[in-house]
Amino acid sequence: MTLNQKLQSALNNQVTAELEAALIYLQLSYIVDDLGLTGMRDWLRIQSNEELTHAQLFADHLSARNVTPTIQAIAAPAQPERTAVAVFEAALAHEEKISDLIRNLAAIVDEVRDYDARPLIDSFLAEQIEEVSTVREILDRIRIVGSDGSGLLRIDAELGTRVNTD
């Protein structure tokens, strides 16, 4: 089945958005690393790698549909304030942005009746619920401990136990 031009464009945009997300997470990992929060650094780096995998899944779908994926311009990530709260606020804002893009993709898939793309999009709709929830939970916990260094270090240690599953 020929890929509708509107959907093709949106999928290419998603490849770029996922690559941008990888860079954002990588930049955020540098900030918490400078703060000595190596567990958060490792968690964010795994998240960065996961976003690269997401970009590849969208690119693979385009390729399978006889469309060459096209990466668009990506701006340098913004620099949030150098605190764990600010880092995870930035992560949450970006996950919410990605969720909006995925929902838009779902609407386009429905509009153009591209049932071949539906399984890919559905998997990402479910994934984004988990992504937003996880980052929000981390952020809430960081806000709860506030300036309590031992609490922040405990969260950091827990996040450092994340295993890369890709």
Side-chain angles (χ1 to χ4, degrees):
M1 174 182 184
T2 303
L3 191 57
N4 173 282
Q5 185 60 41
K6 183 175 183 178
L7 180 55
Q8 178 179 324
S9 177
L11 287 169
N12 267 314
N13 289 343
Q14 194 65 38
V15 169
T16 301
E18 299 290 344
L19 292 171
E20 177 186 45
L23 292 176
I24 288 169
Y25 277 114
L26 190 58
Q27 181 63 60
L28 296 176
S29 80
Y30 297 156
I31 294 169
V32 292
D33 189 36
D34 282 349
L35 297 173
L37 299 169
T38 57
M40 290 182 191
R41 175 204 63 205
D42 294 347
W43 190 93
L44 290 162
R45 287 186 183 167
I46 290 170
Q47 193 65 25
S48 176
N49 289 334
E50 188 175 291
E51 301 301 341
L52 291 173
T53 300
H54 294 170
Q56 193 61 57
L57 289 170
F58 285 107
D60 289 347
H61 184 83
L62 285 163
S63 293
R65 304 280 300 272
N66 202 32
V67 174
T68 302
T70 306
I71 300 169
Q72 299 150 21
I74 300 173
Q79 299 290 318
E81 186 179 326
R82 299 176 53 77
T83 67
V85 168
V87 163
F88 280 91
E89 285 173 343
L92 179 59
H94 197 72
E95 286 298 342
E96 289 172 341
K97 175 185 171 184
I98 293 292
S99 293
D100 287 342
L101 292 172
I102 299 292
R103 285 190 293 273
N104 183 57
L105 273 172
I108 293 170
V109 164
D110 289 347
E111 175 190 329
V112 302
R113 300 177 61 170
D114 190 316
Y115 304 112
D116 297 329
R118 192 80 232 182
L120 175 68
I121 303 309
D122 286 347
S123 70
F124 276 96
L125 286 168
E127 168 120 3
Q128 281 310 118
I129 291 169
E130 179 185 330
E131 297 284 340
V132 169
S133 176
T134 298
V135 175
R136 183 175 287 126
E137 179 183 312
I138 293 168
L139 178 58
D140 287 346
R141 293 177 69 214
I142 292 170
R143 285 179 174 152
I144 287 169
V145 300
S147 61
D148 175 21
S150 62
L152 191 59
L153 289 174
R154 180 172 179 181
I155 294 168
D156 183 62
E158 289 175 21
L159 293 178
T161 64
R162 180 180 185 186
V163 177
N164 191 351
T165 57
D166 287 339

